[in-house]
Amino acid sequence: MEDGKSPTRFVYCNRDFADHVCWSGCGDRTASMSKFDTTIQAGWTDRMDRGLFRYHLGDLETRILPGPARYVAQLNIQRGIERRQPQEILSIKQNFDTKQFNFNKINPEEVIFEMSKQIEPTSQPKGGGPCKENGHPCDDLCRIMVMVNVSPLEFGHCLLVPEPTQCSPQVLTPAAIQIGIESVLLSSDPGFRVGFNSLGAFASVNHLHLHGYYMKQELNLETASTQPLVPEKGFYRLRDFPIGFMFYAEMDDLEKVVCAISQVTNSLVERNKAHNLFFTRGCPPGKSDVRARRGVRIVVWPRRSCFGAKDESAFNVALCELAGHLPFKNRHDFEHSTEKDVMAIIQRYLLPDQQFLQLEQQLTAHLQKDIKA
């Protein structure tokens, strides 16, 4: 990305978080957009108009599959054809390889802006100090490059890449987790989502990054019922299929939740468990009838590992599919797949029940021990 030009800078602080976000009346993306939304959407649209993507993405044909899960199916044939060949992944702890494609090799015109957080010394967040495990949360020394995904899933699909020149592999750090949560909080659109695929969970590039995109449809995940595991840490279990762990964070407890998520994802890496994360506005646990989306739900799905190069002819189950968003690559599957079909495919990638319950007990004990300490 060395072209002599510096990307546009976007500096934010806690005061920029959108507090009152609600689905009602959210059909118009231009209504009451935050500065974050305006910057991403204008930059993304500009790059689309300039032909920097692998294909033009218009309004995607969308249907809601009949059934209680309300899966959001979208037809995106071009992504399956035109996207870059995914890297061969052989291990969850695979080292960064400078010879492989990485985000330091992209066309610099693909960068929308460089984002950083300005810490306000008089507004220390509640929930303890910075998490020291496996790095530090994002502060005013942390740069996040926000760039278009040239093979977009949806409107505004971008990549959030923390400190790209550090050449970190695709393993979550506290800073990356914090970026995921705070990006959702910076958006006033409840349809802005962020996600992460670990190695072995269909990550395409072994260079630390998260995905962000907009989708008009509401997801069941935002209101799904939960069972408390360690509520003091914001840690719950999702009751609905596909079973996973959920954290809930609002503005005043971010660091506490970031540290707890980091403990869980670090434990998964240590146990060689592949995982996907999804960050979305959602209602607080136990309040599924609330339309307001003041906080963020962060869902962690441990799953079976998939190694070797991606088989693009397969239905890849990654962050979107687990969250209920199904990008189909061909019209036949888009038009004829049922909720039962989709659930059968997803089930093949989930941990067996006994393995999940054993993992839940271990992670719960780990977080409870941290409270007592």
Side-chain angles (χ1 to χ4, degrees), residues 312-368:
E312 288 298 341
S313 65
F315 185 94
N316 295 332
V317 175
L319 66 94
C320 292
E321 291 80 2
L322 288 166
H325 172 207
L326 310 170
F328 283 96
K329 303 186 194 97
N330 67 79
R331 181 167 290 280
H332 181 270
D333 286 339
F334 170 73
E335 292 181 343
H336 297 285
S337 292
T338 65
E339 181 180 282
K340 184 178 179 182
D341 296 333
V342 170
M343 293 176 79
I345 293 169
I346 292 174
Q347 183 65 54
R348 296 203 294 266
Y349 292 85
L350 301 179
L351 293 180
D353 290 346
Q354 194 58 40
Q355 276 191 40
F356 181 88
L357 291 174
Q358 183 179 17
L359 183 62
E360 178 184 283
Q361 291 170 357
Q362 293 167 344
L363 295 175
T364 299
H366 182 48
L367 291 178
Q368 287 174 332

Side-chain angles (χ1 to χ4, degrees), residues 243-270:
I243 192 169
F245 301 119
M246 192 200 82
F247 291 86
Y248 179 77
E250 293 189 357
M251 298 177 194
D252 59 355
D253 59 0
L254 290 184
E255 290 194 6
K256 176 185 73 175
V257 176
V258 166
C259 289
I261 297 171
S262 182
Q263 287 178 288
V264 166
T265 55
N266 285 347
S267 294
L268 294 176
V269 172
E270 289 165 8

Side-chain angles (χ1 to χ4, degrees), residues 233-304:
K233 293 271 194 173
F235 186 47
Y236 300 81
R237 184 217 288 178
L238 277 183
R239 293 181 184 273
D240 298 340
F241 180 90
I243 192 169
F245 301 119
M246 192 200 82
F247 291 86
Y248 179 77
E250 293 189 357
M251 298 177 194
D252 59 355
D253 59 0
L254 290 184
E255 290 194 6
K256 176 185 73 175
V257 176
V258 166
C259 289
I261 297 171
S262 182
Q263 287 178 288
V264 166
T265 55
N266 285 347
S267 294
L268 294 176
V269 172
E270 289 165 8
R271 292 174 167 82
N272 286 306
K273 297 289 185 190
H275 47 283
N276 305 93
L277 277 77
F278 197 77
F279 304 70
T280 183
R281 291 279 184 170
C283 64
K287 297 183 180 179
S288 60
D289 58 338
V290 176
R291 296 294 295 166
R293 297 287 184 267
R294 186 170 186 270
V296 180
R297 286 185 166 209
I298 307 98
V299 183
V300 182
W301 287 283
R303 42 88 56 77
R304 297 177 191 265

Side-chain angles (χ1 to χ4, degrees), residues 175-190:
I177 295 165
Q178 183 171 333
I179 289 160
I181 298 174
E182 294 190 343
S183 295
V184 174
L185 288 174
L186 284 167
S187 174
S188 58
D189 187 334

Side-chain angles (χ1 to χ4, degrees), residues 37 42 86 113 127 140 145 197 204 227 234 276 287 296 306 354:
D37 295 319
F113 57 84
D140 54 359
M145 303 303 287
N197 297 321
S204 296
Q227 175 182 328
N276 305 93
K287 297 183 180 179
V296 180
C306 299
Q354 194 58 40

Side-chain angles (χ1 to χ4, degrees), residues 92-213:
I92 291 171
K93 302 174 185 177
Q94 191 162 313
N95 291 331
F96 181 91
D97 184 352
T98 56
K99 298 175 184 176
Q100 296 283 343
F101 170 79
N102 62 73
F103 300 116
N104 294 314
K105 297 182 178 183
I106 66 163
N107 177 351
E109 295 296 315
E110 295 170 18
V111 177
I112 302 174
F113 57 84
E114 175 186 308
M115 185 164 72
S116 60
K117 183 175 184 181
Q118 181 177 5
I119 299 298
E120 300 169 283
T122 58
S123 60
Q124 175 69 28
K126 297 178 183 178
C131 179
K132 302 295 184 183
E133 188 173 345
N134 193 28
H136 300 269
C138 202
D139 57 22
D140 54 359
L141 300 177
C142 180
R143 294 182 316 136
I144 307 104
M145 303 303 287
V146 180
M147 58 191 70
V148 297
N149 187 324
V150 294
S151 302
L153 279 167
E154 245 287 16
F155 175 75
H157 189 180
C158 57
L159 300 172
L160 312 173
V161 185
E163 296 289 0
T165 57
Q166 289 187 2
C167 300
S168 301
Q170 182 71 344
V171 176
L172 274 175
T173 62
I177 295 165
Q178 183 171 333
I179 289 160
I181 298 174
E182 294 190 343
S183 295
V184 174
L185 288 174
L186 284 167
S187 174
S188 58
D189 187 334
F192 181 71
R193 333 283 185 161
V194 171
F196 172 85
N197 297 321
S198 82
L199 301 179
F202 289 120
S204 296
V205 178
N206 187 19
H207 190 182
L208 182 57
H209 66 284
L210 298 94
H211 295 262
Y213 67 95

